[in-house]
Amino acid sequence: GRLVVLVSGTGSNLAALLAAHEDPAFGGRVVAVVADRPDIKALEIAHAAGVPTAVVALRDFEDRAAWDRALTEAVAVFSPDLVVLAGFMKLVGKPFLDRFENRIVNTHPALLPSFPGAHGVRDALAYGVTVSGCSVIVVDGGIDAGPILAQEAVPVLPDDDESSLHERIKVVERALLVDVVGRIARDGLTVEGHRARIG
Ligand code: GRF
């Protein structure tokens, strides 16, 4: 299936998806990478892999609604079968959700429904949890509130800071994301079916 990956940062999840698409059995192919800002490592990774990119930056538009429409079009031109938010740090709006309904997944570095939002790792650490982890969910109109497709636990060590915990989570997260995206690329995304398949 045709994968369009949305990014905002270092692109380690993108890199894992690009590595997976070298394996014909993966079932997905990253056909484009779309960012909400220029000059990020994720775009360098896409360029190095010869994958088309687009940047849709909020500051280039007169308001949020115009940005939402532009982002939707920028992704739609690549005819995605599945849109993967991989470290994308913006909430996608209604036009986007309507256009790609039930074909958007997101990865979050915490065990949802705990610690949703932009600082899941920091919030989990501050709360004092001894176990955190990562979640791959279907994106709906909420903030990290969509149906859960997969999760994996990651231990929190006593001397962890946000960076050390996030790095430990990211090792697990990128493997989980590749596994879920591959399964959807091969079998399609039906949340009920997906959950049923996990058993
Ligand atoms: C990931 O942990 C993602 O869950 C979070 O930010 C990180 C992005 O990492 N939103 P990268 O850009 O894929 O390296």
Side-chain angles (χ1 to χ4, degrees):
R2 298 174 57 84
L3 310 175
V4 174
V5 184
L6 273 61
V7 294
S8 297
T10 51
S12 64
N13 282 289
L14 167 65
L17 289 166
L18 287 170
H21 99 173
E22 297 305 314
D23 168 6
F26 175 56
R29 196 161 53 86
V30 178
V31 297
V33 173
V34 178
D36 65 337
R37 65 201 72 183
D39 311 325
I40 53 172
K41 188 147 177 10
L43 287 172
E44 292 170 27
I45 290 171
H47 295 150
V51 174
T53 62
V55 176
V56 184
L58 185 55
R59 65 166 176 270
D60 296 340
F61 296 89
E62 72 261 14
D63 59 25
R64 181 81 187 209
W67 177 81
D68 277 330
R69 288 192 300 275
L71 182 72
T72 303
E73 286 316 309
V75 172
V77 298
F78 294 105
S79 307
D81 295 309
L82 184 68
V83 178
V84 182
L85 308 187
F88 192 63
M89 296 309 279
K90 289 264 190 340
L91 295 179
V92 291
K94 192 159 174 9
F96 196 95
L97 291 164
D98 291 346
R99 186 70 166 270
F100 307 114
E101 188 174 12
N102 270 340
R103 291 187 292 140
I104 314 167
V105 296
N106 183 30
T107 177
H108 183 73
L111 291 178
L112 294 171
S114 299
F115 313 118
H119 305 292
V121 179
R122 182 191 310 170
D123 296 342
L125 205 58
Y127 194 94
V129 299
T130 59
V131 174
S132 191
C134 48
S135 309
V136 179
I137 62 169
V138 178
V139 175
D140 62 12
I143 299 182
D144 297 325
I148 291 174
L149 294 173
Q151 292 188 298
E152 189 157 335
V154 173
V156 180
L157 303 183
D159 59 347
D160 264 333
D161 61 13
E162 182 179 353
S163 166
S164 61
L165 176 55
H166 200 169
E167 279 317 305
R168 188 176 314 112
I169 291 172
K170 286 176 84 169
V171 172
V172 170
E173 176 183 33
R174 62 183 76 112
L176 193 68
L177 183 64
V178 166
D179 178 55
V180 170
V181 169
R183 233 182 308 184
I184 296 170
R186 295 188 296 274
D187 307 342
L189 168 65
T190 53
V191 176
E192 295 64 34
H194 201 91
R195 190 171 283 124
R197 250 198 304 286
I198 290 170

